């Protein structure tokens, strides 16, 4: 063997030994998921990520009951923004456990600085076989320090979340969950001017269903730039939903006429015209609202079953704090109460709409009219007393010209429709009854339920009957989602 060849072999062997040493050293850094540079008493951090999602579902039917109604629809950026979350953790069997108590509560701030980007736009996340979510933007709470004595990092916790509202002081450690689930608040969102829906922001969003965080199954990772610290990153889905609903006027079938100051509909074959000039929401519930949604299986049972964070079906009832007392003898606070001459305080005038309250669907304007609170009724509740609705005010031109006749049509919003076509009549004041009630055979026939869009359009005008034909569809308005928190 030549000297040169032997030298080359020795160098190769030496290089191999050096490389093996490096590999073994690198492998020794991680053993069974643990890091030797992080001790048992390492400082602990937790991190939650929020994904703002979008879902392109577009279904047009009558208002269908159940958790998803007629489908899902994305919200505007201001409807999705999160500035902070109250995180409540507790052990036990779940929100119905009478012995469960708050083990941990903390309000974490989320700022625009935490907007990590839109690089995952269009990414689909699955929650279960029935639900998927698409991501538009991603937020994070950042790494939040938690003391060892505050959390059992080998335990399993149930989770309650309240976004855009700090309720930590009302949920101190040790308070029973049976008391926490009864909490109510007066504001479902923040707005500079209540009569201007395009200013609404900071929508309060709360847990939609029971969920757990299992710290014992997590593998914490070292925290960068902090000695002897590790981060627990929560990855499983935690769903939240807005406490507010939304009412839209969809101008399908109409054209905007600037000269007439509204959306023009042709009537029959004689050239008559009806122009919608104003839309006014009425009976906007103004009492407190439960922070966490609840459903009840019956109004007739002696002891109905109430389920907190339960899914809505086509045969149960969503309950607000006063639903049981809407017996036609009690009165409650309602903004813009129904009347023959409605107040202009909450009216939306078609000739002076703000650009931020409308967008187009299939080439036609869709206008946000109001953000009502949850307002549910018993089957025997009088609609005129309690039901939320909208009134279309406009001018009727016989033959399309001349001096118009002013007309106002009233429509109570349905949550679960009894018409397969989704079509209903809106009547003038003379056609309303002060003792009209919901359908006794359709649960949740009328009412407002959180996190839903109630979209109303006009299908036709019956000049002889003095009614207009209304079409209403309801969409589940979901959308901050994540592998941690979804809306």
């Amino acid at each position: 063997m030549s000297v040169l060849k032997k030298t080359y072999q020795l160098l190769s062997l030496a290089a191999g030994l050096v490389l093996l040493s490096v590999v073994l050293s690198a492998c020794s850094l991680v053993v069974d998921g643990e890091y030797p540079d992080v001790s048992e008493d390492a400082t602990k951090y937790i991190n939650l990520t929020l994904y703002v999602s979008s879902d392109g579902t577009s279904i047009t039917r009558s208002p269908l009951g159940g958790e998803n109604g007629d489908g899902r629809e994305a919200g505007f950026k201001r409807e999705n923004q999160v500035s902070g979350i109250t995180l409540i953790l507790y052990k036990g069997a779940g929100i119905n456990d009478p012995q469960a108590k708050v083990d941990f509560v903390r309000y974490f701030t989320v700022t625009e600085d935490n907007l990590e980007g839109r690089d995952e736009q269009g990414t689909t996340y699955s929650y279960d076989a029935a639900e998927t979510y698409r991501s538009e933007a991603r937020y994070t709470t950042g790494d939040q320090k938690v003391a060892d004595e505050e959390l059992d990092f080998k335990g399993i916790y149930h989770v309650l979340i309240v976004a855009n509202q700090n309720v930590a002081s009302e949920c101190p450690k040790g308070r029973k969950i049976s008391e926490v689930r009864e909490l109510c608040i007066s504001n479902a969102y923040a707005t500079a001017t209540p009569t201007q829906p395009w200013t609404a922001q900071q929508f309060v969003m709360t847990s939609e269903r029971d969920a757990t965080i299992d710290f014992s199954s997590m593998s914490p990772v070292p925290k960068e730039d902090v000695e002897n610290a590790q981060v627990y990153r929560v990855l499983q889905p935690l769903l939240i939903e807005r406490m507010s609903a939304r009412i839209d006027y969809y101008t399908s079938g109409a054209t905007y006429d600037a000269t007439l100051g509204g959306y023009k509909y042709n009537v029959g074959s004689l050239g008559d015209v009806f122009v919608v000039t104003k839309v006014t929401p009425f009976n906007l519930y103004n009492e407190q609202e439960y922070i966490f949604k609840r459903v009840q299986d019956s109004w007739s049972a002696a002891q109905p079953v109430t389920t907190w964070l339960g899914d809505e079906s086509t045969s149960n009832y969503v309950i607000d704090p006063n639903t049981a007392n809407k017996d036609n003898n009690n009165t409650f606070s309602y903004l813009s109460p129904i009347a023959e001459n409605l107040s202009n305080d909450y009216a939306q005038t078609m000739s002076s709409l703000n650009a931020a309250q409308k967008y187009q669907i299939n080439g036609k304007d869709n206008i946000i009219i109001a953000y009502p609170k949850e307002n549910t009724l018993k089957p025997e509740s009088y609609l005129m007393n309690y039901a939320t609705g909208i009134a279309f005010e406009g001018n009727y031109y016989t033959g399309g010209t001349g001096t118009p006749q002013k007309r106002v049509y009233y429509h109570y919003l349905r949550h679960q429709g009894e018409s397969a076509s989704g079509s209903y009549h809106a009547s003038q004041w003379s056609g309303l009854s002060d003792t009209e009630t919901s359908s006794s055979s359709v649960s949740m026939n009328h009412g407002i339920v959180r996190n839903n869009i109630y979209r109303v359009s006009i299908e036709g005008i019956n000049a002889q009957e003095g009614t207009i034909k209304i079409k209403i569809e309801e969409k589940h308005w979901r959308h901050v989602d994540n592998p941690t928190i979804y809306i």
Side-chain angles (χ1 to χ4, degrees):
M1 181 182 296
S2 68
V3 174
L4 181 60
K5 187 175 182 180
K6 188 172 183 179
T7 302
Y8 175 78
Q9 288 180 332
L10 290 172
L11 288 174
S12 298
L13 179 60
L17 291 172
V18 170
L19 178 59
L20 179 61
S21 175
V22 171
V23 171
L24 290 175
S25 296
C27 290
S28 69
L29 291 175
V30 181
V31 179
D32 295 330
E34 296 186 7
Y35 299 81
D37 57 335
V38 177
S39 65
E40 285 293 324
D41 61 349
T43 303
K44 307 293 195 306
Y45 292 79
I46 60 175
N47 185 304
L48 298 97
T49 303
L50 292 78
Y51 290 79
V52 179
S53 74
S54 167
D55 182 67
T57 303
S58 180
I59 303 173
T60 304
R61 294 196 294 268
S62 65
L64 299 180
E67 190 67 16
N68 296 319
D70 286 336
R72 299 168 182 270
E73 181 164 320
F76 289 102
K77 180 179 179 181
R78 64 178 173 80
E79 295 172 337
N80 288 331
Q81 284 181 317
V82 175
S83 62
I85 63 169
T86 305
L87 176 67
I88 303 166
L89 302 179
Y90 64 97
K91 294 182 177 180
I95 197 168
N96 295 307
D97 186 342
Q99 304 304 319
K101 296 180 180 180
V102 175
D103 284 298
F104 175 88
V105 61
R106 183 78 63 81
Y107 182 77
F108 296 127
T109 300
V110 178
T111 68
E112 285 295 329
D113 294 336
N114 297 123
L115 178 61
E116 292 189 335
R118 297 182 179 273
D119 55 307
E120 294 192 11
Q121 186 170 2
T123 301
T124 298
Y125 296 97
S126 295
Y127 179 75
D128 57 30
E131 297 180 286
T132 60
Y133 303 90
R134 295 182 180 90
S135 172
E136 272 184 0
R138 189 174 69 251
Y139 292 83
T140 178
T141 59
D143 297 340
Q144 302 288 339
K145 185 187 293 187
V146 177
D148 277 340
E149 62 271 17
E150 290 185 276
L151 273 178
D152 173 11
F153 285 97
K154 295 182 179 180
I156 300 174
Y157 290 94
H158 288 270
V159 187
L160 292 174
I161 293 199
V162 181
N164 291 333
Q165 189 81 10
N166 188 347
V167 296
S169 62
E170 299 176 73
C171 307
K173 183 174 181 178
R175 186 171 190 183
K176 286 188 174 182
I177 296 300
S178 59
E179 296 175 356
V180 171
R181 71 191 185 198
E182 299 292 328
L183 290 176
C184 300
I185 59 174
S186 299
N187 58 306
Y189 55 86
T191 179
T193 308
T195 57
Q196 299 176 350
W198 60 90
T199 65
Q201 57 188 322
Q202 294 295 297
F203 287 80
V204 182
M205 313 173 198
T206 65
S207 294
E208 181 186 343
R209 62 177 63 183
D210 186 32
T212 58
I213 294 178
D214 183 359
F215 286 105
S216 66
S217 67
M218 293 184 190
S219 297
V221 297
K223 179 170 171 55
E224 295 180 3
D225 304 322
V226 177
E227 185 178 352
N228 198 35
Q230 55 189 5
V231 183
Y232 289 79
R233 300 191 185 279
V234 180
L235 299 178
Q236 67 269 30
L238 305 172
L239 308 183
I240 59 178
E241 60 184 353
R242 298 172 193 83
M243 290 178 59
S244 171
R246 197 177 93 187
I247 301 173
D248 289 0
Y249 164 40
Y250 179 35
T251 65
S252 174
T255 55
Y256 184 73
D257 190 313
T259 302
L260 299 179
Y263 290 90
K264 182 173 69 175
Y265 296 84
N266 295 320
V267 184
S269 59
L270 300 177
D272 292 0
V273 168
F274 179 64
V275 181
V276 174
T277 58
K278 188 183 295 183
V279 180
T280 306
F282 60 78
N283 286 352
L284 300 174
Y285 186 67
N286 193 38
E287 299 281 353
Q288 288 198 323
E289 182 176 342
Y290 286 127
I291 289 183
F292 301 109
K293 181 179 175 180
R294 66 191 61 195
V295 296
Q296 182 174 301
D297 67 338
S298 169
W299 282 112
S300 58
Q303 292 184 322
V305 177
T306 299
T307 305
W308 289 266
L309 304 184
D311 278 346
E312 184 183 348
S313 72
T314 57
S315 60
N316 62 12
Y317 297 83
V318 178
I319 308 301
D320 73 40
N322 288 309
T323 306
N325 296 317
K326 294 174 186 174
D327 58 2
N328 310 318
N329 295 314
N330 295 303
T331 57
F332 303 101
S333 175
Y334 283 89
L335 303 174
S336 186
I338 190 172
E340 186 171 6
N341 295 309
L342 286 163
S343 168
N344 284 323
D345 289 346
Y346 290 84
Q348 302 301 318
T349 303
M350 299 299 99
S351 61
S352 58
L353 292 172
N354 188 286
Q357 75 178 116
K358 63 180 181 178
Y359 60 97
Q360 290 205 326
I361 299 175
N362 297 325
K364 295 293 184 178
D365 287 343
N366 182 76
I367 302 158
I368 298 174
I369 300 300
Y371 291 102
K373 290 181 184 178
E374 196 163 63
N375 177 34
T376 58
L377 281 61
K378 299 171 68 174
E380 63 269 25
S381 300
Y382 291 161
L383 301 182
M384 190 173 282
N385 289 358
Y386 306 112
T388 299
I390 56 175
F392 292 96
E393 179 178 324
N395 295 317
Y396 192 96
Y397 294 84
T398 302
T401 61
T403 302
Q405 176 191 12
K406 177 184 173 182
R407 294 187 180 182
V408 183
Y409 298 94
Y410 301 81
H411 174 69
Y412 301 111
L413 291 172
R414 282 166 170 77
H415 181 68
Q416 182 175 189
E418 70 275 22
S419 165
S421 67
S423 297
Y424 306 91
H425 288 296
S427 302
Q428 296 183 71
W429 185 259
S430 60
L432 299 179
S433 167
D434 56 6
T435 59
E436 181 183 0
T437 62
S438 294
S439 168
S440 59
S441 61
V442 180
S443 66
M444 297 295 297
N445 185 214
H446 289 84
I448 297 291
V449 175
R450 68 185 67 197
N451 209 46
N452 283 280
I453 297 173
Y454 297 89
R455 179 165 295 133
V456 184
S457 57
I458 296 175
E459 282 196 309
I461 293 93
N462 189 319
Q464 288 72 36
E465 293 183 4
T467 62
I468 61 176
K469 191 177 182 181
I470 291 290
K471 188 175 184 67
I472 178 170
E473 64 170 316
E474 173 201 351
K475 288 182 176 291
H476 204 55
W477 176 36
R478 185 187 302 288
H479 299 299
V480 177
D481 62 343
N482 83 16
T484 38
I485 297 178
Y486 290 95
I487 296 187

